[in-house]
Amino acid sequence: MRDPLVELHNFGRDPYQVQPTSPRQWIARIGSGTQYPGVTSEQLSILQDRRYLPSGRHDYPRPNELVSSNEAYQSLRDFLSNSATDSEDRAHDRLENAWNMNHATPDLFIKIFNDLNELLFDNQLYNRVFLTWEDLPDELLGRTGSRSDCTCCPADRIQIQLDRAMFYEESKSKIWGTLVHEMLHAYMFVVTDHESAHGRDFERACRALGAALGFRGLRGDDIFHEEDD
């Protein structure tokens, strides 16, 4: 376990992070924490509710046809190379404003999820992911699980967990990069129904996602970081 005194000592090396003053700041709610205009109270409730069943179905939500990993990566690259819609442009503007904020609390990274999903993953993760901040094992910044290896959430959800200590200890770019990294794993679970390895295709996808965001200071390496997942 990490020494909490070390966590407090290291906190604030990046002035972007604001230390949570209440456990509630690890949970995203409209009207509290860091404000973000691109999400509704209902969307936040679904995103953080492990009991929610997408579309009323009690089975793992999949596209009509599953594809191979190679096909999934190609489909993602094709989507990212398309011209953005007006809705995607608005999502990008909101995300860029959040990236340029001087300060943020942990709830922001739940609030930006749906805009990242629309801009980067063609909404494939909408209502399919349960997102939380957790105390993860040392050196693990985040993890993603499907029904086959995650017993803490229903069969029809994919859970993304972000490490609370990461928020204290890592840079803004690493926190954003870790969220997108785990979303890529979730995307692969949805469209292929199996976990994606950190191979060359995964690395290329991470770099393509970073390029699609185009934020100054956020690199493909911040999203890939193979050793941390």
Side-chain angles (χ1 to χ4, degrees):
M1 295 292 293
R2 293 181 176 88
D3 185 340
L5 294 178
V6 173
E7 292 182 10
L8 289 174
H9 176 73
N10 288 341
F11 186 85
R13 77 175 196 180
D14 187 333
Y16 175 74
Q17 295 104 306
V18 175
Q19 183 172 6
T21 58
S22 164
R24 290 179 295 179
Q25 288 188 311
W26 297 101
I27 300 171
R29 294 182 175 89
I30 298 296
S32 66
T34 303
Q35 300 305 302
Y36 186 77
V39 66
T40 67
S41 181
E42 180 182 9
Q43 289 170 339
L44 289 178
S45 177
I46 290 172
L47 188 55
Q48 298 171 97
D49 183 1
R50 70 177 67 229
R51 299 165 298 178
Y52 177 77
L53 300 174
S55 303
R57 294 183 301 171
H58 292 258
D59 195 13
Y60 187 62
R62 304 185 182 99
N64 292 332
E65 294 183 6
L66 298 176
V67 299
S68 69
S69 294
N70 287 338
E71 290 171 323
Y73 287 124
Q74 184 60 54
S75 178
L76 183 61
R77 287 193 295 269
D78 290 344
F79 170 73
L80 294 174
S81 66
N82 291 335
S83 298
T85 65
D86 289 344
S87 179
E88 289 164 357
D89 281 338
R90 290 192 294 270
H92 184 274
D93 289 345
R94 290 191 294 265
L95 289 165
E96 189 168 30
N97 287 338
W99 171 260
N100 290 326
M101 287 178 180
N102 292 325
H103 307 289
T105 45
D107 57 293
L108 174 66
F109 297 92
I110 299 174
K111 293 174 178 176
I112 64 176
F113 180 91
N114 283 339
D115 273 350
L116 287 170
N117 176 41
E118 178 178 4
L119 183 65
L120 302 180
F121 298 101
D122 196 19
N123 274 325
Q124 290 287 347
L125 306 182
Y126 190 72
N127 289 354
R128 293 171 171 171
V129 169
F130 171 52
L131 175 61
T132 59
W133 285 94
E134 305 286 349
D135 294 319
L136 298 182
D138 287 356
E139 308 307 323
L140 197 61
L141 301 183
R143 65 184 173 191
T144 299
S146 73
R147 67 174 179 176
S148 61
D149 62 6
C150 180
T151 59
C152 58
C153 53
D156 62 324
R157 303 298 293 281
I158 300 166
Q159 183 168 24
I160 293 177
Q161 297 173 312
L162 300 177
D163 183 35
R164 292 187 182 192
M166 171 181 66
F167 183 80
Y168 292 96
E169 298 173 355
E170 298 293 344
S171 65
K172 173 174 73 171
S173 58
K174 182 58 71 72
I175 301 170
W176 278 73
T178 297
L179 174 56
V180 175
H181 179 114
E182 298 305 329
M183 290 177 72
L184 177 55
H185 279 303
Y187 168 82
M188 295 300 291
F189 274 125
V190 167
V191 299
T192 71
D193 197 30
H194 60 78
E195 186 173 6
S196 52
H198 288 174
R200 179 175 295 180
D201 284 336
F202 190 91
E203 181 177 4
R204 287 175 176 170
C206 288
R207 299 190 186 285
L209 292 167
L213 285 172
F215 298 159
R216 184 175 182 179
L218 180 64
R219 305 166 301 152
D221 286 345
D222 294 314
I223 299 174
F224 183 53
H225 57 80
E226 179 178 15
E227 71 280 6
D228 293 321
D229 187 83

